[in-house]
Amino acid sequence: MQTPIILIGPMCAGKTTVGEKVAKKLDIPQCSMDEVRFSYYREIGFSKETQQNIREKQGFQGMYAYWKPMPLKEY
């Protein structure tokens, strides 16, 4: 049994990118928390289209506000 490798850091620090490179180099499976969390977000009303619209109009700060908390009101 392989020991999992867990990358921890702030958003947009490159964890997914580094994880993909490490997984490829070691020939092991990789799972990004983005893949996991977005499936839960969809269950409570998250929309990638809405996220993109907010990001285009309000930038990263607006998008971050949309994520946290997910969502308490209509946008």
Side-chain angles (χ1 to χ4, degrees), residues 5-72:
I5 298 170
I6 301 171
L7 302 177
I8 300 171
M11 289 188 332
C12 299
K15 298 178 299 295
T16 299
T17 302
V18 170
E20 289 170 351
K21 291 178 185 241
V22 169
K24 183 175 182 179
K25 182 79 171 174
L26 298 177
D27 193 29
I28 59 176
Q30 187 260 352
C31 176
S32 168
M33 288 307 296
D34 289 338
E35 296 168 22
V36 175
R37 77 179 162 116
F38 285 133
S39 67
Y40 287 106
Y41 280 7
R42 276 191 298 280
E43 289 181 21
I44 58 172
F46 173 81
S47 160
K48 283 199 173 193
E49 181 179 289
T50 299
Q51 172 191 280
Q52 186 60 31
N53 290 337
I54 291 170
R55 185 170 185 142
E56 288 172 6
K57 293 176 185 169
Q58 300 174 26
F60 180 80
Q61 287 299 110
M63 185 178 68
Y64 184 79
Y66 176 62
W67 290 345
K68 312 285 181 197
M70 186 67 257
L72 293 179

